[in-house]
Amino acid sequence: MADPQRIWTAALVVIGDEILSGRTQDRNVAQIATWLNVQGIRLTEVRVVADDAAAIAEAVNSLRARNDYLFTTGGIGPTHDDITVDAIAGALGVEVEINAQARTMLEGYYETRGGLTDARLRMARVPVGACLIENRMSGAPGIRHGNIFIMAGVPHITAGMLESLTGKLEGGLPLLSATVGCWVAESEIADLLAEAERGHEGCQIGSYPFFRDGRTGANFVVRSTDQAVLDRCIADLGLALEAGGWPVIAGGI
């Protein structure tokens, strides 16, 4: 029987020179992290790497070894600089092959869009031993090899691939959260926050300061897998802040 207290983890490798150059703003980190939380899986690390086979391989081998799952985004398109599949195959020590099912999918998708060219056929290439992740948006599937999930870099396509994986990965309890905010410098209440966390086993409290409208404030996010424990912690934290003279704003500022 699975341990309900086990924490399942995942890492993410974001691949692409365009991310590192600042020309493209990544949106996949947030949507993948949110999706993973619902699946009961914690995103523990994100690494952004260039379109460089050695950098991709090093990141993949490092992160897949210390997490239950590894996701990658970017670099699986039809152009010469889409090298993710080759880099991951090299990291795994396997060859690259044309997946027959992926080829059939692409033939159907491009039948009325100019046909399956050699460039488009590149999107049917997978590391030997892989299976496919359904993509209803553009025809080109994602790829799964063991605990590695190779996904598109385009956010709405990534979202579709995540949808097809929903409920199919083994995970633990979803991570729940609640937020309160105060107009206070976090340094003034550091001890109060630490005491609140110590007094509520199973909860973590994150402090997120900001400066707005000439005032210093902070939002405090309490996280737990147990709703009852979470509710007690957020209530007790609010009471402690109020008692210290810092009015609480439920839901954050």
Side-chain angles (χ1 to χ4, degrees), residues 196 199-201 203 222 226-239:
H200 297 83
E201 186 176 356
C203 283
V222 180
D226 187 311
Q227 186 67 59
V229 171
L230 174 65
D231 291 342
R232 285 195 296 273
C233 183
I234 202 76
D236 291 346
L237 175 60
L239 290 173

Side-chain angles (χ1 to χ4, degrees), residues 27-177:
R27 301 205 311 270
N28 281 323
V29 173
Q31 75 165 340
I32 290 174
T34 300
W35 180 85
L36 286 169
N37 278 339
V38 175
Q39 310 307 307
I41 302 166
R42 310 279 181 88
L43 183 61
T44 60
E45 184 173 351
V46 177
R47 194 178 299 187
V48 183
V49 301
D51 294 313
D52 177 84
I56 296 169
E58 190 281 326
V60 165
N61 277 335
S62 174
L63 296 179
R64 73 185 176 99
R66 61 174 182 258
N67 290 279
D68 296 298
Y69 304 108
L70 172 65
F71 291 76
T72 73
T73 59
I76 60 172
T79 59
H80 70 283
D81 60 341
D82 288 310
I83 63 170
T84 296
V85 169
D86 299 271
I88 292 179
L92 297 174
V94 301
E95 299 296 320
V96 174
E97 66 179 0
I98 298 291
N99 181 280
Q101 183 183 2
R103 179 173 189 146
T104 298
M105 291 177 178
L106 290 165
E107 285 174 340
Y109 182 81
Y110 285 111
E111 184 177 5
T112 59
R113 296 175 173 86
L116 185 59
T117 64
D118 287 343
R120 289 166 172 171
L121 186 59
R122 283 178 54 82
M123 295 185 288
R125 301 168 71 250
V126 306
V128 170
C131 57
L132 304 180
I133 302 170
E134 184 180 6
N135 168 22
R136 299 176 185 175
M137 302 300 297
S138 68
I143 304 162
R144 176 176 183 174
H145 197 293
N147 71 334
I148 304 172
F149 298 80
I150 307 169
M151 310 182 79
V154 179
H156 75 274
I157 297 177
T158 306
M161 293 179 178
L162 292 174
E163 182 181 356
S164 73
L165 290 172
T166 296
K168 296 180 181 178
L169 304 188
E170 191 169 3
L173 297 172
L175 187 62
L176 309 172
S177 67

Side-chain angles (χ1 to χ4, degrees), residues 178-198:
T179 303
V180 294
C182 280
W183 291 105
V184 62
E186 63 174 357
S187 60
E188 294 185 44
I189 57 169
D191 291 342
L192 183 154
L193 295 175
E195 183 178 348
E197 184 172 284
R198 285 194 299 269

